[in-house]
Amino acid sequence: MDTMAMMKSMSATEMPMAMDMDVMQDTMMAMNAASMAATMCSASDMRMGSEMATCAALCSNMSMMADTGMRMMMRPMGMDADSMRAMLMACTAMGKACAAECRTHADMEESCRYCAMACDEMVAKCEAMMASMSA
């Protein structure tokens, strides 16, 4: 499915705010990748018991936050600039926290290394999205 074609089929003049659809697509893809990586990392963490509880919890939260952000972006006709910025800032904060925690285990857990990379990528894309937004 070509989500970009679907997004571009929506009338830009009817959207409540101007959006760079290419940047939004990149951000959505990064959010999806971070959600998947964090879900897999959390599952891997759970098998290790209480020593990885913080990492598992952060990864679970990261996955839900990224997925919610992505779904919100899939409804551009309902976008509100203030709520979109708040969501992007929340995804950025959660992504930074999750990546930092995963990096503490990255030398022993491959899933943590991948999760940290996916979170870093999502943070960069969310920051680019915020920079591209017009009021």
Side-chain angles (χ1 to χ4, degrees), residues 51-52 55 101-110 112:
E51 70 185 64
M52 295 294 278
C55 191
E101 175 65 21
C102 281
R103 268 194 282 285
T104 67
H105 311 287
D107 60 333
M108 62 183 208
E109 278 302 312
E110 195 74 357
C112 285

Side-chain angles (χ1 to χ4, degrees), residues 6-134:
M6 289 175 66
M7 297 295 283
K8 286 184 176 182
S9 73
M10 297 179 187
S11 172
T13 59
E14 295 174 9
M15 288 186 194
M17 56 190 273
M19 303 294 290
D20 182 322
M21 291 300 198
D22 292 321
V23 174
M24 189 159 68
Q25 175 71 12
D26 289 346
T27 305
M28 288 170 43
M29 297 300 285
M31 287 174 162
N32 189 44
S35 178
M36 290 187 291
T39 296
M40 289 185 278
C41 189
S42 178
S44 178
D45 292 344
M46 285 185 222
R47 68 179 163 74
M48 289 185 246
S50 63
E51 70 185 64
M52 295 294 278
T54 299
C55 191
L58 280 169
C59 287
S60 291
N61 288 343
M62 177 66 250
S63 178
M64 287 187 267
M65 178 67 70
D67 191 56
T68 299
M70 180 184 64
R71 290 179 183 280
M72 188 175 169
M73 294 179 90
M74 292 167 61
R75 298 180 199 83
M77 300 306 283
M79 285 185 187
D80 169 76
D82 290 338
S83 62
M84 181 59 65
R85 276 189 193 86
M87 181 274 301
L88 289 165
M89 287 189 300
C91 283
T92 297
M94 190 74 241
K96 287 178 180 179
C98 187
E101 175 65 21
C102 281
R103 268 194 282 285
T104 67
H105 311 287
D107 60 333
M108 62 183 208
E109 278 302 312
E110 195 74 357
S111 61
C112 285
R113 191 172 67 78
Y114 284 119
C115 187
M117 289 188 307
C119 287
D120 288 341
E121 178 69 13
M122 185 199 70
V123 165
K125 297 298 182 180
C126 285
E127 289 172 343
M129 184 74 206
M130 283 187 281
S132 78
M133 290 171 63
S134 66

